[in-house]
Amino acid sequence: MTFRAVSWVLLISVCLLSACAPTWQNVRKEEAIKGPSRAYTAVLPEGWKRAPTDSDVLLITRDGLFLQQISITRVAVSDAFAPVRITADTPLQELALLQYKALRDQEPELARTDKDELKGVLGLFPVAHAKPLAGTTERVAIKPFKVDGRDAYLLETRSFNSWGLEYTSQAIGFVHEKDYWLVRYLAPTLHYAKRDQLTFDTFLQRLKLKEKCLLFCSD
């Protein structure tokens, strides 16, 4: 499965979960969670909501996905940017540029409008208006970064939705346990990005990487 496919899975999950709001888990107090493979431990911030999943994909928000979101995704290194092949030794700058291209290439998909979004109340506030427009993603900076002592990159971008609202994105990418991982923060630049920046910074500082375990795993 390519990183593009993983993004599609995450997007589809978001759409399904949006129609089933009660399935979201309220984080009433700080909670440490482990992905099924035990490859990381993350501390969920108090007052946020977590999308239920049985994979290492993590998606959380405080006020709604288009107001702020933090996500963790992973894909096998060999499939991350197919047909381009990367390895654990691929320079971080190259990984960041590949990720930037992937984000730009995904924009047309995010701009698609479902016909049901044009009906009734949804027709007044189409979900597509809260998604970045095709081709609007702009690179702001690429910087070296560390995740639990592991070398990573920080890719900062900005994009605009169909109302002209600017979104800020911070994507941290790295290779861990033969997988390519992406930790991302996305929020409107106006108000929300700055308000929840400290929460994301704390989330990153408390993110711990572990050896992957698939059978007979214990805490």
Side-chain angles (χ1 to χ4, degrees):
M1 182 179 289
T2 65
F3 183 80
R4 186 184 185 88
V6 169
S7 298
W8 255 111
V9 170
L10 183 58
L11 180 61
I12 292 171
S13 299
V14 168
C15 294
L16 290 174
L17 291 167
S18 296
C20 305
T23 62
W24 286 76
Q25 173 192 342
N26 290 317
V27 183
R28 303 190 186 282
K29 61 180 181 179
E30 283 191 355
E31 176 187 351
I33 62 113
K34 299 178 177 67
S37 71
R38 302 296 197 271
Y40 72 86
T41 300
V43 178
L44 306 185
E46 179 180 348
W48 283 53
K49 300 175 183 65
R50 175 192 177 194
T53 175
D54 58 359
S55 72
D56 280 324
V57 170
L58 175 68
L59 179 63
I60 60 175
T61 182
R62 175 176 172 174
D63 304 297
L65 291 175
F66 299 124
L67 294 181
Q68 78 281 102
Q69 60 176 272
I70 296 173
S71 63
I72 297 178
T73 55
R74 72 171 175 89
V75 65
V77 168
S78 58
D79 299 328
F81 298 106
V84 178
R85 302 285 290 184
I86 68 169
T87 68
D89 298 321
T90 300
L92 291 171
Q93 178 78 9
E94 184 176 337
L95 288 179
L97 292 174
L98 287 170
Q99 182 61 61
Y100 174 59
K101 182 179 184 302
L103 291 178
R104 284 186 58 86
D105 290 347
Q106 290 160 18
E107 294 298 276
E109 296 169 358
L110 292 176
R112 289 182 180 179
T113 303
D114 188 279
K115 62 181 180 180
D116 289 336
E117 294 174 5
L118 303 179
K119 299 177 182 178
V121 176
L122 289 178
L124 299 176
F125 302 98
V127 174
H129 288 177
K131 301 174 184 177
L133 284 173
T136 64
T137 300
E138 303 170 1
R139 190 177 79 194
V140 176
I142 296 176
K143 307 173 184 177
F145 199 78
K146 293 278 188 181
V147 177
D148 193 22
R150 183 173 296 276
D151 290 334
Y153 69 78
L154 169 61
L155 169 64
E156 298 181 7
T157 60
R158 61 171 171 252
S159 56
F160 297 85
N161 70 8
S162 57
W163 288 333
L165 181 64
E166 181 179 344
Y167 275 76
T168 294
S169 169
Q170 297 174 12
I172 295 90
F174 55 94
V175 175
H176 170 57
E177 290 290 295
K178 299 181 180 180
D179 289 328
Y180 171 71
W181 294 76
L182 190 74
V183 184
R184 193 181 184 198
Y185 173 54
L186 178 67
T189 305
L190 181 65
H191 181 63
Y192 289 96
K194 290 183 179 179
R195 191 196 70 175
D196 297 308
Q197 182 66 56
L198 179 59
T199 298
F200 181 58
D201 292 343
T202 302
F203 179 86
L204 285 173
Q205 291 169 6
R206 303 176 76 175
L207 183 63
K208 301 300 180 182
L209 304 179
K210 310 290 184 180
E211 291 185 7
K212 188 187 298 184
C213 174
L214 299 177
L215 294 173
F216 307 110
C217 302
S218 63
D219 294 335

